[in-house]
Amino acid sequence: MRRFGEKGFTLVELVVALAIGMAVLGAIYQVVQTGLRSSSSMERKVTAGQDVRAALELMAMEIRMASYNPNFTTGIWKDENGLISALQESKGIQQATATSILIEMDTSGDSNIDSTSNEWILYNLDTVNKYVTRNAGAGAQPFLGALPNSGQERTVRVINGDLNIPVFTYYDGKGDALSVASFPASLENIRRIEIVLAVETDDIDLNSGERKRMIYSTSVIPRNHVSSP
């Protein structure tokens, strides 16, 4: 307690000031932490979006080249084992399901499909492990996402299977959807392919406690599939 005429703060005043200061610092800390979490969440979402868009762009570019055959050579198309296919009428789309597609193109122009030179490409969705693989003849490799606990960076999980959304949908020249049950008999009738990639961030958002979900799509017209023999 201060005596009359003395200057300074009492112990009670100091304790109150200290408590107010701690409360203000705590509030500032919470604001900063929330900002950092939001920034980190946004960064992860942006990175995931970039990965998906890049994957979708490459898939579209390669699928667009399906059945490319500059020399109009017959009997060059190969099956899923890299051997000459019995389905030559299916041309450069030798396999097509809701979750996978095998495409071929003679980009080297040597009248041969080289299954180790990006002329034979199989895309496939692993619905269990939630990632897309790309096989260019040397075995399936992670393409979008990665095998869990593989040590590889895994920014997204591909969840088409969880949402019951086909990765690939096929259409004929009239714009009617082709049933995958009609393949391989109607593979030669494919005129447009819609690609949809439904993903979620692998990391859980610290603010919402949930993974961020995104859906990207594009439509591809494999023009060579019409004209190639």
Side-chain angles (χ1 to χ4, degrees):
M1 183 175 181
R2 284 180 302 189
R3 295 180 181 179
F4 182 78
E6 291 183 344
K7 297 181 180 180
F9 297 99
T10 66
L11 179 61
V12 173
E13 290 173 329
L14 289 173
V15 170
V16 171
L18 180 61
I20 293 174
M22 292 297 292
V24 171
L25 288 175
I28 293 174
Y29 176 79
Q30 289 297 326
V31 170
V32 171
Q33 285 297 103
T34 300
L36 289 174
R37 286 197 297 267
S38 297
S39 176
S40 177
S41 174
M42 181 60 67
E43 183 179 348
R44 287 194 297 270
K45 185 176 181 180
V46 169
T47 300
Q50 291 174 337
D51 289 349
V52 179
R53 284 192 292 270
L56 191 63
E57 185 176 330
L58 179 58
M59 292 173 74
M61 181 184 70
E62 292 184 330
I63 291 174
R64 190 174 292 115
M65 289 295 294
S67 300
Y68 178 66
N69 184 8
N71 300 320
F72 295 94
T73 308
T74 59
I76 65 172
W77 309 113
K78 297 183 178 180
D79 61 18
E80 66 276 12
N81 298 312
L83 304 175
I84 295 299
S85 173
L87 303 173
Q88 290 299 309
E89 66 279 2
S90 299
K91 307 171 187 178
I93 303 180
Q94 285 288 312
Q95 178 181 309
T97 72
T99 58
S100 67
I101 186 170
L102 171 58
I103 55 172
E104 302 169 19
M105 69 285 288
D106 181 20
T107 53
S108 64
D110 63 355
S111 299
N112 176 59
I113 300 299
D114 187 343
S115 58
T116 61
S117 299
N118 294 310
E119 294 185 335
W120 180 104
I121 301 169
L122 173 63
Y123 284 107
N124 181 64
L125 168 65
D126 184 330
T127 56
V128 175
N129 294 301
K130 297 180 174 56
Y131 76 129
V132 174
T133 61
R134 178 180 181 274
N135 184 351
Q141 301 295 324
F143 177 72
L144 180 61
L147 193 64
N149 303 317
S150 64
Q152 296 177 320
E153 184 178 8
R154 181 176 166 94
T155 58
V156 298
R157 299 147 53 103
V158 185
I159 57 173
N160 288 65
D162 294 350
L163 303 180
N164 198 28
I165 298 175
V167 178
F168 305 105
T169 304
Y170 310 90
Y171 298 87
D172 63 18
K174 296 179 181 179
D176 297 327
L178 292 167
S179 170
V180 294
S182 68
F183 299 152
S186 60
L187 284 173
E188 60 184 306
N189 297 328
I190 294 174
R191 295 295 178 269
R192 182 170 68 87
I193 301 171
E194 184 179 52
I195 311 171
V196 178
L197 293 174
V199 303
E200 63 184 11
T201 55
D202 190 53
D203 293 328
I204 296 176
D205 182 82
L206 296 178
N207 291 317
S208 66
E210 299 178 349
R211 292 182 171 88
K212 295 289 186 180
R213 288 187 171 183
M214 299 160 281
I215 297 179
Y216 295 85
S217 66
T218 191
S219 189
V220 180
I221 298 177
R223 300 186 185 281
N224 298 293
H225 195 60
V226 181
S227 58
S228 176

